Amino acid sequence: MVVNMTTWRLLSLSSTLIIILSSAVVWIANGFTIGSSKEHTSLLRPSNKRRIAISRLGSTLTPDTEAIATSFNDDDDISDDDEIEKNSAENNNPNNMVNIVLTTGFESFNRDLYQKAGQLLPPPLSQNIHLQVFADSDIRSSPAEYATAVQNADLFIGSLIFDYDDVLAVSELLPNVKGPRLLFECATELMAFNKVGSFTMEAKQGGAGGSGSDGPPPAVKAILNKFSSGKEEDKINGYLKMLKVGPDLLKFIPGEKASDLRCWLEAYRYWNQGGLNNVKAMLQLVVQRYLTEQHQGGAVNETKQNELKSLTLPELEVTPDIGLLHPLLDGYASNPKSYMEWRLSPATSNLAKQRKFKLAPNDSPRIALLLYRKHVITNQRYIQDLITYFESEGLLPIPVFINGVEAHTIVRDWLTSQHEIEGVSHGTIVRDSTYKPNEATCVDAIVSTIGFPLVGGPAGSMEAGRNVDVAAALLGSMDVPYVVASPLLLQSIPMWQSNGVLGLQSVVLYSLPELDGAIDTVVLGGLVGDKIALVPERVRKVCSRLRGWVNLRKTPPAERKISVMLYGFPPNVGAVGTAALLDVPNSLEQLLKRLHEEGYNVGDFATDPDASGQSLVAALAICSENSVIAGGSDKMQSAIEQRIQRAKNGDETVAETLARPGGGLAGATVLGKDMNFDELEKILGKYMAKKVRKSWPEKERGPGMNMKGEMVINGLQLGNVWITVQPLLGVEGDPMRLLFERDLTPHPQYTAAYEWMRLPEEKGGFGTDAVVHLGMHGTVEWLPGQPLGNDRQSWSDELLGGTPNIYVYAANNPSESILAKRRGYGTLVSYNVPPYGRAGLYLELANLKDLVNEYRSGEDSRSDLRDAIWGSCERAGMTADLPFSFSVENSEGELDFSSVNVEDFDAWVADLSNYLVTLEERLFSCGLHTLGGQPTDKELLSYLNAYFDDKLTVDELEDVIALSHEEQKSTELQPRNSFLSWLQSFADNFMGDNSDISGTQTSDDEPLKEEALKIVELLKRNTEEMDGVLTALNGGYVKPCPGGDLLRDGTSVLPTGRNIHALDPYRMPSEGAWTRGQRAAEEILRQHQESNDGAFPETIAVTLWGLDTIKTRGEAIAIVLALVGARPVKEGTGRTVNFELVPLEELGRPRVDVLASLSGIFRDSFANIVDLLDDMFERASVAEESPDMNYIKKHCLDLEATGTERPAARLFSNPPGDYGSMVNEVVGNGDWDETESLGEIWRGRNTYAYGRSEGGGGVRSGTARPEVLDKLLSTTERVVQEIDSVEYGLTDIQEYYSNTGALKKAAENRKQVDPNSGAKKKVAVSIIEAFGGSDEKVQVKDVEDVLRMEYRSKFLNPKWRDAMLEQGSGGACEVSQRMTAMVGWAATAEVDNFVFDQAAERYALDEEVAKRLQKNNPEAFKNVVRRLLEANGRGMWSTDDETIEKLRQLYSDADDLVEQVASSFG
């Protein structure tokens, strides 16, 4: 009995161990999918052969314990595949030759190693195998050859295969493999094909936890936790450790099940350890096993059988999972402390001298280098080269190799910093209990050559952002720069240099690490053939940037030299010292005062009571005037002093703060230089200087030149702070020229300004230690160069050099901030949007509301009010907003309401009342934000009111704000004390949900009030904006945060003062975006049919912009899909990998053709989406469907008939590397005649097609296809544009009319003339205001309706106007910009006459307002009047002669004043 019980226990233990290990293997290998969604989609299509049945809409493969146990059931029927495996020798391979196919994914650089390992197998094996090694690129470049190889394979081995197309292709082929299939760390769907004998990773249905249970079963979790610290973020690392001991445990367990599992685990262990001998052993293991099984029971030579049995499997050559290495070090160091003891020892110094190896001095900055262990153990040369380069550049590397999933444990347990050490000693930082003081070392920066998220590495990327908080806490505790620098593993160096970083590689190096706050990403090299190679110049670049950050920290604040860069674009409209949504003068003033508090030398500015940021901006504006620049930098000081005197004499054309003592400048003086080209060449270097000379010959040197032909560099110096205005991009009349010619360079003065700023003081420059770009946005990140992945030819890379760039950026623009971060090396510090205001009703609109209310509340005299209501509508310009649906004219054609049906007029008045309510409640951005400014209670109320709308009353919101001021929070909202919370929970469970321990009834509003309180607390942390700037200036780590705005994204975007990032482009559209996008598409089609006798549109143009794509999570993409009749397909990790066509039977309508108009940022940032869309259009164009039901196919057939190439091209944008339509520049300088010409400018700038079929995979990045574009424009009947925020409406920025409006005009230019009307058919524009984020009914409005509502609620609203007038020169500039945009809209769409009437009244003809505008910003006021006159002259606005004469006189006076200011220094 004892023996039987013991036997039973051993058998039970053996079975349990097999189940646990099997479950762990399957779960871990399946993409490390932790808690992934059960709704994720897989990729594989069914086949007649027996294979894993995985639907395109199946679930993630996460088996449970019972499922695994079932897969090892002795009674399982032998599958067809098993039968093939057993009989393949006799039936399919009479010569006993084993065909092996080995496919490398992310490790294609190991191709030669695998090939060589096969050649080194013992003769009994090598003579019987045919090994073919393929890289993942071969799957795409040689599909027929690859397919043939796999279909004839007896044994398949694959590693690190992730690309969707590769996964799909391999998945289709794997069921043909006759024998074992071993796949290591591939995509989830491929891992399901693992099979060795009875061991399989196929998902089984109906387990204890269900086939879609999250993570491994509880029993497995319990065992696996023993191999990790118990922390959630450490589990993957622990699981890998368990896999490596699994084979040793299984040695003692008999049976076929254990043997098959052990074989897979042994093979995986050999592969994971890597290196030639281990790979050879892996091949020997699987081949020997396979041949042995084939020979069993067969008529095979007994000698061969004995030869196979006599072969001994080589011992595993073990390399530590983690360790440190160095070219001079034999073997590996076990921890950083021991490594540093070796590195700093005299013996190492002597060894370096003997080998003539240059070591960095022992006191050099210490940089932790995180390296791929796989690359170390396969002896990738670049690893040793990288360490060598760091040493030679004067940086002391601490090279730690890891598997990829343990990066966070290295940072947490093995690294520390001076900041962390001091924090621990002061009690402000508590280290994790896993920290190992006897093994750790102190570092100045961390560089990851791995990319991916810090926590989990490649495994962590399966759920992007899952452990961001963990990573941010670890890096925040360290407070050192976290930099990503790596060679490209999926692209060759020539491909990168011609196209930039593409596709999945961009996600690995940029998108995912940025979630953790990574900065200054540098591409170090790439593939040369199958080998990884470094570009030495790029290694020097990352070293220079690291030195910049470390030196910044080590320089005492009082000695740090800081440059502050303001903006002055566009020129000549009073834009100096402005930025989007930011009060630059006041922000600059507050920044200087805070710098003083932190010990920086800012001269006397912080202690001078008369010091003014407005004065600094005014002085810089003087230095930016062409007439002042012509005199050179030497005369600028006198120009400022003379202007100060004029201010003191009461000159109203000069900023009034200049009248303060010292001009309000607190002793700020002009610091600059007049530089000739020879001097520039010495700084810039001959190579880059030659390019500048070629682009800007002597007679066309661009702006910023004095009368001697020298480049004028200037700014104001306050102690060690130099404040300057960023040079203009181009030339007068063509200010954006630089953006539209990729081969062009910055003009000489632009390059000179940045180079002189960085030039050390001893060499005649300012010698800045860091630059702060103050506000959104500048231009350095837009300079010619690589779209992504700067190289030596990228001008932002050249001009910024190694200088830390602290970029203060609006939190609600995660799109353009990507360029600042990636191309401009910007460490972003976000600032909040200004408070929101409700438009309310004013002047005649308020009177109209009273009349409507009186009419609706009265009975007897209602008919008398009809004429009054209509008259008020006419005065308010409301007649076009709500036209009558019934006749109101008598037989003489006169208005006569007496005959109008009462019910009809009542219904119209009800609509009018609702419309007025909508206008009254519309939001607008009120004023400008001051950096680091804490909102007042009134401003807090405006944020909350906008966020909650009518869900909470004003009284309730005021109570929340009052509560936030109390030190001890009340428990009226929700118990906060942990004991009270527990007690409340107890009461809820045992006494009913309505009980409350406080004795009061809990209302439904309490969760909303809690949320409101949280928002208030986060908004009060606006002060952290200034903290973020100072942290960056201290060389520290700025915490990450997603970009967005409160109204749409909620509290996730707060607090500000963070390093904002975008989202993972592989996860769009999101579920919410897909839902809203479908509804929007349905509404667009419904409205079109309603106005076109039920006909569907053949083509709709949809604008795809980076900003709204990021903020809406891809709603515009969803609209494109829904119009075409397609839907997103997601693989097991949630990544969007395909857009499949919905069958027409299911769609129930024709497929609508789509012209996708891509912004340059969308094109560059979402290359994966571009490729997927292109593939979708290609498939739609050849679908077996009638052209009458597939307009894409119909138009392609038309184009094919004319011999046009690539008729399915649908994604159009600017030429590669270029940005913008240039229409706004033409409108801005007034250099256009007919409105049609604006459409043609847009068309000329957007003829390049993009996508997979255009070589998006690396051959080339875009192709000009004007014929296809013209065809699409000619059939376009509607344009769709999303608006993603309150702050940036149609009327607020130039980009909407210059793209959407100009596209509309380009389409109309190609319409046929209607013989009845004599005019071309108009193209409608559908606007979707997507800043609510609700999944409720999506509002789709015509552009004219939205323009009316925006102008009424903002630009024409005295409340908005007065808020801007309070902002000084910046507010005046905002008014001026919107006036220019109004002309742009009038040229490309329609702007009602009343808009110009009221704009003239509000801003030009109101003497008090005009006086304030002129005083705040003379150039801005001049532009306001100029645009009104231009609108009249172009026939956009009809008004009386008296008004025009007044405006002309105003313009003449304004022009005289501006010219008077510019004509002399006095």
Side-chain angles (χ1 to χ4, degrees):
M1 184 67 179
V2 173
V3 174
N4 290 339
M5 180 62 71
T6 302
T7 302
W8 180 85
R9 286 176 175 171
L10 286 173
L11 290 173
S12 177
L13 177 61
S14 300
S15 178
T16 301
L17 183 58
I18 292 173
I19 291 172
I20 290 173
L21 283 171
S22 302
S23 183
V25 168
V26 176
W27 178 69
I28 297 166
N30 278 344
F32 307 100
T33 312
I34 306 173
S36 56
S37 169
K38 299 177 184 179
E39 299 176 357
H40 288 161
T41 327
S42 63
L43 317 173
L44 312 182
R45 292 189 287 269
S47 167
N48 292 331
K49 295 188 177 183
R50 186 181 184 279
R51 66 171 73 184
I52 313 308
I54 307 174
S55 165
R56 277 182 175 271
L57 298 176
S59 63
T60 301
L61 306 178
T62 312
D64 56 28
T65 307
E66 183 173 343
I68 292 293
T70 304
S71 72
F72 284 92
N73 191 323
D74 287 333
D75 296 329
D76 278 353
D77 292 335
I78 297 176
S79 68
D80 295 338
D81 286 344
D82 294 332
E83 198 68 45
I84 290 172
E85 185 175 334
K86 287 186 176 183
N87 300 323
S88 61
E90 291 78 9
N91 298 333
N92 298 313
N93 200 357
N95 296 323
N96 294 324
M97 225 26 202
V98 180
N99 292 317
I100 304 175
V101 172
L102 197 155
T103 306
T104 65
F106 260 43
E107 57 166 350
S108 60
F109 48 82
N110 277 330
R111 186 206 296 250
D112 290 346
L113 181 145
Y114 287 126
Q115 198 73 54
K116 186 175 181 180
Q119 296 168 357
L120 294 176
L121 286 173
L125 302 180
S126 61
Q127 294 170 1
N128 290 280
I129 69 166
H130 176 225
L131 174 65
Q132 292 175 277
V133 182
F134 294 91
D136 52 359
S137 58
D138 297 324
I139 303 173
R140 300 181 292 276
S141 62
S142 305
E145 178 186 353
Y146 182 77
T148 300
V150 178
Q151 287 167 348
N152 294 323
D154 299 295
L155 204 157
F156 181 91
I157 301 172
S159 62
L160 300 173
I161 305 171
F162 292 107
D163 181 84
Y164 166 70
D165 291 326
D166 296 344
V167 170
L168 191 60
V170 174
S171 299
E172 290 295 323
L173 297 170
L174 282 179
N176 297 294
V177 177
K178 305 174 185 65
R181 303 182 294 248
L182 296 92
L183 295 109
F184 305 131
E185 297 182 14
C186 295
T188 304
E189 289 73 19
L190 286 182
M191 298 305 294
F193 284 98
N194 264 298
K195 179 171 172 52
V196 178
S198 58
F199 169 69
T200 177
M201 291 191 184
E202 178 181 0
K204 299 291 183 178
Q205 300 296 323
S211 63
S213 61
D214 291 344
V220 178
K221 283 184 178 179
I223 299 296
L224 296 179
N225 281 341
K226 301 298 183 182
F227 288 84
S228 70
S229 67
K231 296 177 180 293
E232 178 67 26
E233 63 268 23
D234 290 356
K235 286 183 178 179
I236 295 174
N237 187 28
Y239 304 154
L240 290 178
K241 291 179 182 177
M242 180 180 178
L243 287 185
K244 291 168 185 174
V245 303
D248 296 326
L249 295 174
L250 290 171
K251 286 180 181 179
F252 306 102
I253 299 177
E256 182 181 350
K257 300 188 228 28
S259 175
D260 294 335
L261 173 57
R262 182 187 171 199
C263 179
W264 190 94
L265 285 170
E266 285 279 18
Y268 173 73
R269 185 159 67 167
Y270 278 121
W271 174 83
N272 182 270
Q273 285 295 331
L276 180 62
N277 291 334
N278 282 331
V279 170
K280 184 184 76 171
M282 175 194 73
L283 290 173
Q284 178 177 335
L285 169 70
V286 295
V287 173
Q288 185 175 346
R289 175 187 171 92
Y290 179 78
L291 287 174
T292 300
E293 290 180 351
Q294 299 307 303
H295 293 167
Q296 288 176 354
V300 179
N301 188 301
E302 185 175 344
T303 302
K304 289 187 177 181
Q305 293 189 36
N306 292 332
E307 286 179 348
L308 290 174
K309 292 178 181 178
S310 67
L311 294 177
T312 302
L313 194 65
E315 288 292 325
L316 182 71
E317 293 184 0
V318 178
T319 302
D321 287 340
I322 54 177
L324 296 92
L325 75 159
H326 193 280
L328 298 178
L329 178 63
D330 291 331
Y332 308 110
S334 59
N335 59 67
K337 187 172 184 179
S338 63
Y339 170 85
M340 288 303 296
E341 290 172 352
W342 167 84
R343 172 59 182 79
L344 301 178
S345 68
T348 301
S349 178
N350 292 333
L351 180 61
K353 292 176 182 178
Q354 293 172 13
R355 297 186 182 179
K356 297 182 179 179
F357 186 97
K358 183 179 180 181
L359 286 177
N362 285 354
D363 60 353
S364 299
R366 299 180 181 183
I367 312 298
L369 271 177
L370 302 180
L371 306 169
Y372 260 130
R373 175 180 172 275
K374 194 76 173 178
H375 295 178
V376 172
I377 60 181
T378 54
N379 298 316
Q380 297 301 315
R381 177 177 171 179
Y382 89 90
I383 295 286
Q384 301 286 355
D385 290 345
L386 184 61
I387 297 169
T388 302
Y389 282 127
F390 265 64
E391 293 275 17
S392 66
E393 288 292 314
L395 299 178
L396 200 160
I398 302 173
V400 184
F401 60 81
I402 58 176
N403 283 304
V405 301
E406 321 94 322
H408 69 286
T409 67
I410 302 302
V411 174
R412 183 190 66 203
D413 303 342
W414 269 7
L415 301 179
T416 188
S417 65
Q418 192 59 41
H419 172 270
E420 188 174 64
I421 292 170
E422 293 173 359
V424 170
S425 67
H426 295 149
T428 57
I429 292 176
V430 178
R431 282 201 183 101
D432 198 280
S433 59
T434 58
Y435 178 70
K436 300 173 182 177
N438 295 327
E439 299 180 5
T441 194
C442 185
V443 299
D444 296 302
I446 301 170
V447 175
S448 171
T449 68
I450 296 170
F452 292 105
L454 183 74
V455 180
S461 67
M462 297 308 174
E463 290 184 78
R466 174 184 173 86
N467 288 303
V468 166
D469 290 343
V470 175
L474 293 175
L475 294 168
S477 177
M478 292 281 291
D479 195 30
V480 297
Y482 174 52
V483 173
V484 172
S486 173
L488 304 175
L489 303 183
L490 299 176
Q491 285 181 243
S492 68
I493 290 177
M495 185 189 299
W496 157 52
Q497 291 174 334
S498 62
N499 294 306
V501 180
L502 302 172
L504 182 59
Q505 188 75 74
S506 69
V507 177
V508 170
L509 289 190
Y510 291 91
S511 301
L512 295 175
E514 286 168 358
L515 300 179
D516 296 329
I519 60 171
D520 287 9
T521 299
V522 177
V523 175
L524 298 180
L527 296 176
V528 176
D530 290 329
K531 301 299 181 184
I532 305 171
L534 298 179
V535 176
E537 181 273 329
R538 288 293 84 193
V539 182
R540 290 194 293 272
K541 169 58 65 175
V542 75
C543 289
S544 73
R545 296 209 59 78
L546 288 166
R547 273 197 305 272
W549 284 110
V550 175
N551 291 342
L552 182 63
R553 162 156 278 179
K554 293 189 174 182
T555 302
E559 298 175 18
R560 291 176 191 163
K561 306 194 79 173
I562 307 299
S563 297
V564 180
M565 191 78 70
L566 310 185
Y567 316 125
F569 179 84
N572 305 318
V573 293
V576 171
T578 61
L581 309 177
L582 186 69
D583 182 344
V584 174
N586 198 27
S587 297
L588 176 61
E589 183 174 325
Q590 299 307 314
L591 174 60
L592 291 169
K593 291 179 178 178
R594 177 63 184 276
L595 288 173
H596 171 74
E597 293 174 5
E598 299 294 331
Y600 289 77
N601 180 358
V602 298
D604 297 329
F605 190 88
T607 56
D608 187 338
D610 296 309
S612 165
Q614 191 69 53
S615 290
L616 294 174
V617 169
L620 290 168
I622 295 168
C623 295
S624 300
E625 295 169 10
N626 290 336
S627 58
V628 177
I629 292 172
S633 59
D634 291 342
K635 296 184 178 181
M636 288 182 173
Q637 187 67 45
S638 63
I640 295 173
E641 291 171 357
Q642 291 179 46
R643 211 66 65 83
I644 289 173
Q645 188 58 48
R646 285 174 51 176
K648 292 180 177 180
N649 293 337
D651 190 335
E652 294 184 354
T653 66
V654 181
E656 61 181 348
T657 56
L658 288 177
R660 296 182 181 182
L665 297 174
T669 56
V670 173
L671 175 65
K673 178 178 176 58
D674 296 343
M675 184 183 296
N676 61 46
F677 208 98
D678 290 340
E679 291 173 307
L680 175 61
E681 185 175 283
K682 290 180 182 179
I683 305 172
L684 193 58
K686 289 186 178 181
Y687 174 72
M688 299 301 270
K690 182 179 179 180
K691 297 180 70 172
V692 175
R693 282 186 188 272
K694 182 179 178 181
S695 296
W696 302 88
E698 191 168 348
K699 293 182 179 180
E700 193 184 348
R701 282 286 162 84
M705 310 295 289
N706 65 19
M707 290 184 292
K708 298 178 182 179
E710 297 169 319
M711 295 154 272
V712 179
I713 305 159
N714 69 85
L716 297 176
Q717 183 174 18
L718 284 164
N720 284 336
V721 177
W722 185 62
I723 309 164
T724 188
V725 177
Q726 190 175 56
L728 298 176
L729 271 179
V731 296
E732 193 79 19
D734 190 3
M736 297 290 283
R737 173 185 171 193
L738 194 58
L739 292 187
F740 308 119
E741 297 182 30
R742 190 178 186 186
D743 294 332
L744 196 61
T745 73
H747 58 76
Q749 189 260 347
Y750 197 112
T751 62
Y754 272 89
E755 294 290 350
W756 181 87
M757 176 185 74
R758 296 192 295 115
L759 188 68
E761 187 175 5
E762 60 269 19
K763 294 185 179 181
F766 177 66
T768 195
D769 292 307
V771 58
V772 177
H773 285 87
L774 188 57
M776 181 182 77
H777 59 72
T779 55
V780 69
E781 66 269 26
W782 298 80
L783 297 179
Q786 290 286 13
L788 182 61
N790 287 342
D791 61 9
R792 181 70 176 88
Q793 311 295 323
S794 301
W795 278 97
S796 56
D797 184 271
E798 163 63 31
L799 298 185
L800 289 166
T803 305
N805 180 14
I806 294 88
Y807 213 131
V808 180
Y809 221 94
N812 69 341
N813 192 349
S815 172
E816 291 176 314
S817 67
I818 290 176
L819 289 185
K821 183 193 292 273
R822 298 176 180 177
R823 299 187 83 230
Y825 298 117
T827 295
L828 304 179
V829 179
S830 62
Y831 59 87
N832 205 354
V833 299
Y836 299 103
R838 297 280 180 185
L841 297 178
Y842 51 88
L843 303 176
E844 193 60 49
L845 290 176
N847 179 52
L848 178 58
K849 178 185 178 181
D850 291 340
L851 289 172
V852 167
N853 289 340
E854 184 179 352
Y855 177 88
R856 300 188 73 188
S857 62
E859 290 291 339
D860 300 332
S861 60
R862 292 203 312 166
S863 59
D864 298 336
L865 292 173
R866 293 182 179 184
D867 287 323
I869 289 173
W870 182 249
S872 181
C873 282
E874 287 185 314
R875 290 190 296 276
M878 290 279 286
T879 55
D881 296 64
L882 290 169
F884 293 121
S885 59
F886 47 86
S887 176
V888 294
E889 295 180 350
N890 57 25
S891 57
E892 284 77 28
E894 299 172 339
L895 283 175
D896 182 5
F897 293 102
S898 61
S899 60
V900 175
N901 181 281
V902 173
E903 287 76 13
D904 288 342
F905 194 83
D906 285 353
W908 179 81
V909 170
D911 290 341
L912 176 60
S913 177
N914 292 334
Y915 186 67
L916 289 172
V917 170
T918 300
L919 284 177
E920 188 173 15
E921 293 301 311
R922 273 186 77 86
L923 295 169
F924 64 83
S925 189
C926 190
L928 300 173
H929 176 73
T930 297
L931 184 69
Q934 191 176 85
T936 63
D937 284 2
K938 180 180 179 181
E939 290 170 338
L940 287 170
L941 182 61
S942 76
Y943 285 114
L944 295 177
N945 185 273
Y947 183 81
F948 289 101
D949 203 7
D950 57 355
K951 296 176 184 176
L952 291 174
T953 66
V954 172
D955 288 344
E956 289 174 318
L957 294 176
E958 289 177 340
D959 289 344
V960 168
I961 295 170
L963 181 62
S964 72
H965 295 316
E966 299 176 10
E967 289 185 8
Q968 183 64 41
K969 302 292 190 297
S970 169
T971 59
E972 291 180 356
L973 300 181
Q974 180 177 325
R976 295 176 180 274
N977 178 276
S978 59
F979 173 75
L980 292 179
S981 298
W982 173 85
L983 193 58
Q984 181 68 61
S985 176
F986 179 88
D988 288 345
N989 287 320
F990 292 96
M991 300 173 62
D993 290 340
N994 294 325
S995 63
D996 192 293
I997 60 171
S998 62
T1000 61
Q1001 194 73 16
T1002 302
S1003 77
D1004 294 337
D1005 288 341
E1006 302 312 323
L1008 292 178
K1009 292 178 182 177
E1010 279 290 332
E1011 185 179 11
L1013 187 60
K1014 180 179 180 181
I1015 291 172
V1016 170
E1017 292 169 347
L1018 289 170
L1019 287 170
K1020 285 184 175 182
R1021 292 170 63 185
N1022 279 358
T1023 53
E1024 294 180 19
E1025 295 169 358
M1026 202 67 79
D1027 296 338
V1029 175
L1030 270 295
T1031 295
L1033 283 175
N1034 199 39
Y1037 169 80
V1038 180
K1039 292 181 180 178
C1041 182
D1045 59 66
L1046 175 64
L1047 296 189
R1048 181 173 184 92
D1049 303 294
T1051 57
S1052 66
V1053 300
L1054 297 174
T1056 43
R1058 298 296 188 262
N1059 187 356
I1060 57 174
H1061 56 74
L1063 72 167
D1064 183 349
Y1066 278 81
R1067 298 175 189 275
M1068 291 189 297
S1070 68
E1071 291 299 325
W1074 174 233
T1075 299
R1076 283 178 54 87
Q1078 290 180 92
R1079 291 176 179 171
E1082 291 169 2
E1083 182 62 15
I1084 290 165
L1085 294 177
R1086 186 196 68 77
Q1087 291 183 12
H1088 186 90
Q1089 287 183 283
E1090 190 176 82
S1091 57
N1092 288 273
D1093 300 323
F1096 283 98
E1098 288 205 3
T1099 305
I1100 291 179
V1102 180
T1103 58
L1104 295 177
W1105 287 7
L1107 181 57
D1108 69 65
T1109 296
I1110 292 171
K1111 294 180 70 175
T1112 67
R1113 306 303 193 261
E1115 282 182 21
I1117 298 168
I1119 292 172
V1120 173
L1121 299 182
L1123 290 173
V1124 169
R1127 57 189 162 215
V1129 175
K1130 302 193 178 203
E1131 44 86 285
T1133 66
R1135 291 192 309 152
T1136 301
V1137 290
N1138 188 27
F1139 297 143
E1140 69 175 4
L1141 297 176
V1142 176
L1144 284 177
E1145 298 76 17
E1146 181 181 340
L1147 186 62
R1149 61 164 174 82
R1151 299 193 193 280
V1152 177
D1153 204 350
V1154 174
L1155 164 58
S1157 174
L1158 316 181
S1159 72
I1161 295 178
F1162 183 98
R1163 172 199 66 202
D1164 296 341
S1165 302
F1166 303 103
N1168 62 303
I1169 298 295
V1170 173
D1171 283 352
L1172 292 178
L1173 287 172
D1174 185 56
D1175 176 64
M1176 175 193 72
F1177 283 118
E1178 283 286 351
R1179 285 184 279 111
S1181 71
V1182 295
E1184 294 183 2
E1185 299 168 350
S1186 167
D1188 293 334
M1189 291 296 289
N1190 182 338
Y1191 297 143
I1192 302 165
K1193 185 173 184 178
K1194 176 182 178 181
H1195 298 155
C1196 285
L1197 291 173
D1198 292 344
L1199 287 164
E1200 285 177 358
T1202 64
T1204 304
E1205 293 184 359
R1206 267 225 75 214
R1210 290 297 182 274
L1211 299 110
F1212 286 86
S1213 187
N1214 312 133
D1218 284 358
Y1219 303 88
S1221 72
M1222 208 172 178
V1223 172
N1224 53 322
E1225 313 312 323
V1226 174
V1227 170
N1229 60 42
D1231 188 19
W1232 60 281
D1233 295 319
E1234 302 300 323
T1235 59
E1236 288 78 7
S1237 66
L1238 299 179
E1240 295 313 293
I1241 291 171
W1242 180 92
R1243 182 261 186 196
R1245 291 285 304 150
N1246 286 273
T1247 60
Y1248 275 74
Y1250 291 86
R1252 181 175 296 167
S1253 300
E1254 298 295 344
V1259 180
R1260 59 181 184 271
S1261 55
T1263 309
R1265 301 197 182 279
E1267 299 87 356
V1268 181
L1269 178 60
D1270 286 341
K1271 174 66 175 180
L1272 293 171
L1273 288 171
S1274 70
T1275 59
T1276 293
E1277 300 176 63
R1278 188 171 291 266
V1279 180
V1280 176
Q1281 173 72 64
E1282 282 211 316
I1283 302 176
D1284 58 81
S1285 69
V1286 170
E1287 298 82 27
Y1288 308 126
L1290 290 180
T1291 61
D1292 294 313
I1293 57 177
Q1294 313 293 320
E1295 283 73 17
Y1296 283 117
Y1297 77 78
S1298 66
N1299 287 281
T1300 307
L1303 192 166
K1304 171 184 186 295
K1305 186 60 65 175
E1308 290 172 347
N1309 289 349
R1310 284 153 182 78
K1311 300 299 180 188
Q1312 298 293 322
V1313 175
D1314 186 340
N1316 297 321
S1317 65
K1320 294 183 177 181
K1321 183 180 179 180
K1322 294 290 185 181
V1323 172
V1325 178
S1326 295
I1327 302 297
I1328 303 163
E1329 294 184 318
F1331 41 79
S1334 170
D1335 285 340
E1336 299 173 3
K1337 184 178 179 181
V1338 178
Q1339 295 290 326
V1340 179
K1341 303 171 185 174
D1342 288 336
V1343 66
E1344 292 81 9
D1345 294 334
V1346 177
L1347 287 172
R1348 291 186 193 104
M1349 294 186 76
E1350 282 204 16
Y1351 281 128
R1352 292 187 194 283
S1353 59
K1354 289 190 277 191
F1355 192 64
L1356 303 179
N1357 190 340
K1359 186 187 293 186
W1360 182 92
R1361 177 199 63 190
D1362 294 345
M1364 284 301 172
L1365 289 176
E1366 292 296 324
Q1367 305 301 319
S1369 62
C1373 184
E1374 294 287 332
V1375 171
S1376 171
Q1377 295 278 57
R1378 284 164 177 76
M1379 191 67 78
T1380 301
M1382 188 189 300
V1383 171
W1385 273 117
T1388 57
E1390 293 182 12
V1391 174
D1392 294 318
N1393 209 65
F1394 83 86
V1395 176
F1396 286 103
D1397 286 339
Q1398 294 186 22
E1401 293 172 8
R1402 302 285 192 277
Y1403 295 101
L1405 302 178
D1406 184 314
E1407 291 185 13
E1408 183 179 347
V1409 172
K1411 185 177 180 180
R1412 291 185 66 183
L1413 278 174
Q1414 195 166 33
K1415 187 174 184 179
N1416 287 343
N1417 195 323
E1419 287 186 328
F1421 177 71
K1422 178 184 173 182
N1423 186 64
V1424 167
V1425 180
R1426 173 195 168 192
R1427 298 304 176 187
L1428 289 168
L1429 290 171
E1430 180 183 4
N1432 177 258
R1434 293 185 183 276
M1436 301 169 176
W1437 174 39
S1438 175
T1439 189
D1440 57 81
D1441 293 341
E1442 182 180 354
T1443 298
I1444 295 301
E1445 186 56 36
K1446 288 181 180 178
L1447 291 173
R1448 285 174 178 161
Q1449 187 59 49
L1450 281 172
Y1451 186 78
S1452 177
D1453 294 344
D1455 194 41
D1456 288 344
L1457 286 171
V1458 172
E1459 290 301 320
Q1460 178 185 355
V1461 168
S1463 63
S1464 73
F1465 297 158

